Amino acid sequence: MFNTTLDYNGVTWSIGLLVIVVLYVLRPYLRVVPLKSLPYAPGPPMRPFIGNIMDIGAGKLWLKLTDYKYEYGDLVYLQGLGKSILVVNSLKAMTDLFEKRANKYSDRPILVFGNDLMGINRNFSFCDYNDEWRAQRKLAHTALNLTAVKGYYGMQEDVAAVFARDLLQAPGNFMALMRLTASKIILAITYGISLDTPEDKYITILEESSRLGVKAAMPGTYLVDFLPILKYAPSWVPFQREAKYASHLMELSITGPFEHVKRDLEAGTAPPSFVQQLLTDPLHDIADFERRVKWAAGSMYGAGAETTYATVMTFILAMALHPGKQRLAQAEVDRIVGMDRLPTIEDRSRLPYVNALIKETMRWHPAVPLGVAHRNSEDDEYEGYFIPKSTLVIPNVWAIAFEPNEKYDPQAFLPERFLDPSQPTVDPSMWAFGFGRRICPGRFLAENSIFIIIATLLAGFNIAPPDTGELKAQFSSYLISYPEPFDCQIVPRSGIKASMIETRAAQSTI
């Protein structure tokens, strides 16, 4: 029998929602622009009610926004549905706003799905510039400052050697093995946890949580970020179910490893780690200490493992596509390091072509093509344009990476561009790890991890396209962009190299 009560409630809810949405959408058209009625930065044509904001939801968004740079300039403004977005397409503007005006531009976007429904703003990478951020950042700094990371050299070299040994045994499984390798480094440093397989329970949960997190952190992924009223939609709506699942998974991924360390501490078996050190010797000037340690530790995994994985996968893809550059780097490793050992992190300063190759890998496809968006805490003016308070400000680092060059084609894979003083190319380290107060505290650790894994691969293996089928460079579209699954050949350069890898891996303590 027809249920009139449920039908009436559903119609009432729908009409109420429609009225609220219409009023919300009309907000920007009723606003009086302060600061002497300065104009907004230019942008695509506006449409009735929705403005031009829906352009932000396109796949491979960095390509569209970079096209906008050449049509509208270094600043591109998008608005509608009650939201404002400013795309910043030059390193100068990013430096001016995020570093010179860090007091105004250090907040994070208000992402309803990610923050209100999933809870990623408990992670200090995504929370506003506030006391919570300061406390967690201080904790992370104890494990990730330039002096502290030197203590991890041996562990990182061990992990790289074990990765190389595992590739000898299962080269076709390189993507899963690299996932395991990136996870090993972060989990060993953060929790003292040693992992043996990609199917370990901690990796499984952390990877799925990270996947949902980077999806939620990408502006435009969910309509609810543009229409916050939708967060009150019924629980059966698909995005509500996804948010509930993601929130539960995030809590598991943060709590599980943390409780693991606490149990080991009680048993007196906890190995040295970030969490072990802090729980043993607490910082008494930080309130709510244990909770903040837990979330600071969880933040380190998402920021470190995901970007390291993305960069090394991009390197493997690039080497399969550009064997000539691989041979040049291998020749340098053989000449400088020698033929009787694997590289170490201490070798990094003596390998200029390898370093240029890594920089070109980071430039050729940035792991975070649109950076991590900022939000301004007050109205501002820049270059004669008005920037309203709470504007989502996107650093389009792709536009910097692919800046046209009179000498070097930005589309080409050319490490040599970083070795040519006559035509300087911006070092990716200037933009790959964030800006101002939001610069990634784990950048030194990440740079060392990426170097030692890539240098080890160059020393021990040849990477080539598959025997059958065409190899194409295709990448995902979320906040952290990875190569889509691909096939390639990874074979030891010689029997002597294979034996050297086996010997070094056997010395590992991981």
Side-chain angles (χ1 to χ4, degrees):
M1 188 173 181
F2 184 74
N3 190 324
T4 56
T5 303
L6 287 176
D7 182 65
Y8 176 79
N9 289 339
V11 170
T12 302
W13 187 92
S14 300
I15 293 174
L17 176 62
L18 178 62
V19 170
I20 294 172
V21 167
V22 169
L23 291 175
Y24 187 85
V25 167
L26 289 175
R27 286 194 315 153
Y29 302 96
L30 304 176
R31 177 173 184 154
V32 177
V33 178
L35 295 180
K36 300 180 180 179
S37 297
L38 290 172
Y40 297 119
M46 302 283 287
R47 303 178 186 88
F49 296 108
I50 64 171
N52 55 14
I53 199 78
M54 298 308 291
D55 289 355
I56 203 71
K60 303 295 188 297
L61 180 59
W62 49 87
L63 299 179
K64 175 179 281 191
L65 296 183
T66 301
D67 287 342
Y68 284 165
K69 171 182 178 176
Y70 301 110
E71 187 172 356
Y72 303 109
D74 288 345
L75 302 176
V76 178
Y77 188 69
L78 302 153
Q79 67 170 322
L81 302 178
K83 300 290 184 180
S84 297
I85 296 175
L86 181 69
V87 182
V88 183
N89 291 313
S90 74
L91 185 60
K92 178 184 181 302
M94 293 174 197
T95 301
D96 288 346
L97 297 179
F98 302 141
E99 296 185 5
K100 295 180 180 179
R101 304 187 190 185
N103 61 314
K104 297 181 182 180
Y105 288 88
S106 292
D107 281 347
R108 286 302 193 203
I110 300 173
L111 299 171
V112 177
F113 184 95
N115 294 352
D116 292 359
L117 301 179
M118 183 178 174
I120 63 172
N121 57 343
R122 291 173 289 178
N123 175 322
F124 81 91
S125 297
F126 298 108
C127 72
D128 278 345
Y129 182 70
N130 53 26
D131 289 342
E132 184 66 29
W133 179 88
R134 293 183 188 91
Q136 289 193 35
R137 172 82 176 209
K138 181 177 180 179
L139 293 169
H141 184 71
T142 65
L144 299 174
N145 64 70
L146 191 55
T147 300
V149 297
K150 292 181 180 179
Y152 308 136
Y153 284 5
M155 181 271 294
Q156 290 170 294
E157 291 159 4
D158 283 353
V159 171
V162 171
F163 173 49
R165 181 202 62 198
D166 292 345
L167 282 177
L168 291 175
Q169 300 169 358
N173 202 28
F174 68 96
M175 299 190 86
L177 292 175
M178 185 56 226
R179 278 278 187 194
L180 177 62
T181 298
S183 299
K184 274 185 176 181
I185 293 173
I186 301 300
L187 289 174
I189 291 169
T190 307
Y191 303 105
I193 294 174
S194 180
L195 305 173
D196 297 319
T197 71
E199 293 75 29
D200 184 277
K201 63 177 181 179
Y202 290 125
I203 288 187
T204 301
I205 294 173
L206 284 163
E207 283 188 0
E208 178 67 0
S209 176
S210 293
R211 183 189 70 81
L212 294 169
V214 298
K215 179 181 178 183
M218 183 68 172
T221 302
Y222 295 95
L223 182 61
V224 68
D225 290 333
F226 294 131
L227 293 174
I229 190 64
L230 293 179
K231 71 180 180 181
Y232 300 110
S235 59
W236 48 262
V237 173
F239 80 82
Q240 291 279 30
R241 293 201 300 269
E242 183 176 350
K244 183 177 180 180
Y245 169 69
S247 178
H248 172 68
L249 206 63
M250 174 167 280
E251 187 64 41
L252 283 179
S253 72
I254 298 296
T255 302
F258 183 79
E259 293 297 326
H260 178 112
V261 179
K262 289 182 67 177
R263 288 193 298 271
D264 284 353
L265 277 172
E266 292 175 1
T269 59
S273 70
F274 167 71
V275 172
Q276 177 270 341
Q277 175 189 337
L278 288 172
L279 292 182
T280 302
D281 187 17
L283 301 180
H284 296 291
D285 60 336
I286 294 181
D288 202 3
F289 182 75
E290 188 168 302
R291 179 188 63 80
R292 284 172 163 163
V293 170
K294 180 172 75 171
W295 280 95
S299 300
M300 290 165 62
Y301 181 88
E306 294 296 297
T307 52
T308 297
Y309 170 79
T311 302
V312 175
M313 284 297 101
T314 300
F315 162 80
I316 292 174
L317 176 61
M319 292 302 93
L321 293 169
H322 304 282
K325 305 305 179 185
Q326 177 180 203
R327 287 192 291 270
L328 289 173
Q330 288 171 329
E332 182 180 75
V333 171
D334 293 346
R335 184 175 66 255
I336 301 300
V337 176
M339 305 295 287
D340 59 348
R341 68 175 177 89
L342 292 178
T344 67
I345 295 174
E346 295 287 357
D347 293 319
R348 183 177 171 191
S349 62
R350 302 190 298 138
L351 296 169
Y353 192 84
V354 171
N355 284 304
L357 183 65
I358 293 170
K359 291 176 183 178
E360 181 67 348
T361 297
M362 296 172 68
R363 185 208 66 83
W364 185 63
H365 191 91
V368 191
L370 294 176
V372 180
H374 292 229
R375 180 171 60 89
N376 58 328
S377 56
E378 58 184 84
D379 288 347
D380 197 18
E381 175 271 331
Y382 180 70
E383 296 291 327
Y385 296 117
F386 173 58
I387 306 174
K389 177 182 177 180
S390 287
T391 293
L392 188 154
V393 187
I394 297 176
N396 181 15
V397 300
W398 186 274
I400 303 173
F402 284 81
E403 186 74 35
N405 188 302
E406 293 180 1
K407 191 170 182 179
Y408 297 105
D409 179 2
Q411 301 296 328
F413 188 88
L414 296 170
E416 291 77 6
R417 74 178 77 235
F418 291 101
L419 300 172
D420 184 355
S422 70
Q423 187 70 57
T425 301
V426 177
D427 190 322
S429 65
M430 297 289 291
W431 46 257
F433 298 103
F435 299 89
R437 296 171 183 173
R438 303 307 301 237
I439 195 166
C440 177
R443 64 192 183 278
F444 305 124
L445 182 73
E447 287 176 334
N448 290 338
S449 294
I450 290 166
F451 168 80
I452 194 57
I453 294 169
I454 286 177
T456 299
L457 288 172
L458 289 168
F461 296 92
N462 288 320
I463 302 170
D467 285 332
T468 58
E470 183 181 358
L471 181 58
K472 294 182 179 180
Q474 297 179 320
F475 294 84
S476 63
S477 295
Y478 295 134
L479 179 70
I480 299 176
S481 182
Y482 322 95
E484 298 286 1
F486 65 96
D487 292 325
C488 69
Q489 299 181 75
I490 303 178
V491 297
R493 293 174 63 192
S494 68
I496 294 175
K497 291 284 189 181
S499 296
M500 182 177 65
I501 289 169
E502 293 278 9
T503 300
R504 176 62 184 85
Q507 300 167 358
S508 170
T509 59
I510 297 297

